[in-house]
Amino acid sequence: MSKHAGSIDDQVLQRIQAQGPGWVFTPADFADLGSRTAVASALARSKAAGTIRLLGRGLYDTPVVHPVLGLLWPAIESVAKALERKEGIRLQPSGVYAANLLGLSEQVPAQVVFLTDGATRTVKVGPTQISLKRTTPRNMAAAGRLSAMLIQAFRSLGAATITPQRIARLRKSLPAVERATLLQDIALAPEWMHAHFREVARP
């Protein structure tokens, strides 16, 4: 191994270790350290050493081992962030997954759906299938903000199930400062959600 190759190996490993266990990443996260071939070789050596795990094509993580459950799969949000960084796209949790993240549903979907301004495709990570669905600019206008998450969660649950109890749960679990931002995006929500947005946002 050349001195240069060893240097890139060290730099790649240092960056991985700095992020800590559970970090999901792609070769693009090391593009500033060297050529694509050099980075790929460094990651291959780290994988062979058992330092990192290959999750799928071009997708890696630093494995987390639970004392009882053993080797864990990475958090879906960590996978989503890695894909966003790599492809320069935005991802917005949708459907039952959005409702689950907000504590409005205990159902854990076998297929997690993200809306995206990128290409429609499927990514499989362990037992979970992540579906990326290209959508309209309107649906992505508030991507990454609470309002977008709430719109998708409410849409998944349906108008008839948005009870005072669920609204109260949101008001209790979400910080007041964050709830107040909902009113900025209320025009992006369907009209039937407006009253619910105002109630959640209420001081």
Side-chain angles (χ1 to χ4, degrees):
M1 184 188 299
S2 69
K3 182 178 179 181
H4 181 62
S7 175
I8 290 180
D9 278 20
D10 291 342
Q11 292 178 71
V12 167
L13 190 57
Q14 285 171 13
R15 184 166 296 178
I16 291 170
Q17 291 174 338
Q19 293 293 332
W23 187 45
V24 180
F25 53 92
T26 73
D29 287 308
F30 310 94
D32 59 311
L33 301 181
S35 68
R36 180 182 298 181
T37 300
V39 169
S41 297
L43 292 175
R45 284 188 282 270
S46 286
K47 176 180 174 293
T51 307
I52 63 175
R53 168 176 56 177
L54 180 64
L55 298 170
R57 185 176 179 182
L59 199 61
Y60 302 83
D61 79 336
T62 312
V64 175
V65 180
H66 189 277
V68 176
L69 301 176
L71 193 62
L72 303 179
W73 292 107
I76 299 301
E77 278 300 300
S78 296
V79 176
K81 288 176 181 176
L83 293 173
E84 286 181 322
R85 293 194 307 272
K86 176 188 176 186
E87 301 177 17
I89 60 175
R90 292 179 299 160
L91 297 179
Q92 173 58 51
S94 180
V96 176
Y97 181 55
N100 180 271
L101 289 175
L102 287 170
L104 296 175
S105 171
E106 294 182 0
Q107 183 180 348
V108 180
Q111 176 174 290
V112 172
V113 178
F114 283 91
L115 302 181
T116 182
D117 51 5
T120 295
R121 65 191 183 96
T122 299
V123 178
K124 188 166 176 57
V125 177
T128 304
Q129 185 168 288
I130 302 173
S131 179
L132 311 185
K133 294 188 175 181
R134 186 173 179 82
T135 189
T136 63
R138 180 181 176 84
N139 282 336
M140 294 301 293
R145 301 200 291 270
L146 173 62
S147 54
M149 183 93 75
L150 204 58
I151 289 169
Q152 295 306 317
F154 281 178
R155 185 171 285 157
S156 170
L157 294 169
T161 70
I162 311 303
T163 61
Q165 290 77 16
R166 277 184 159 146
I167 296 297
R169 188 178 305 163
L170 287 170
R171 286 179 47 76
K172 183 178 181 181
S173 64
L174 297 170
V177 173
E178 195 172 348
R179 288 191 284 108
T181 65
L182 289 173
L183 298 182
Q184 299 171 15
D185 295 325
I186 195 169
L188 295 172
E191 190 172 350
W192 68 265
M193 296 184 190
H194 289 189
H196 297 315
F197 266 53
R198 293 189 189 97
E199 185 61 20
V200 174
R202 184 169 53 82

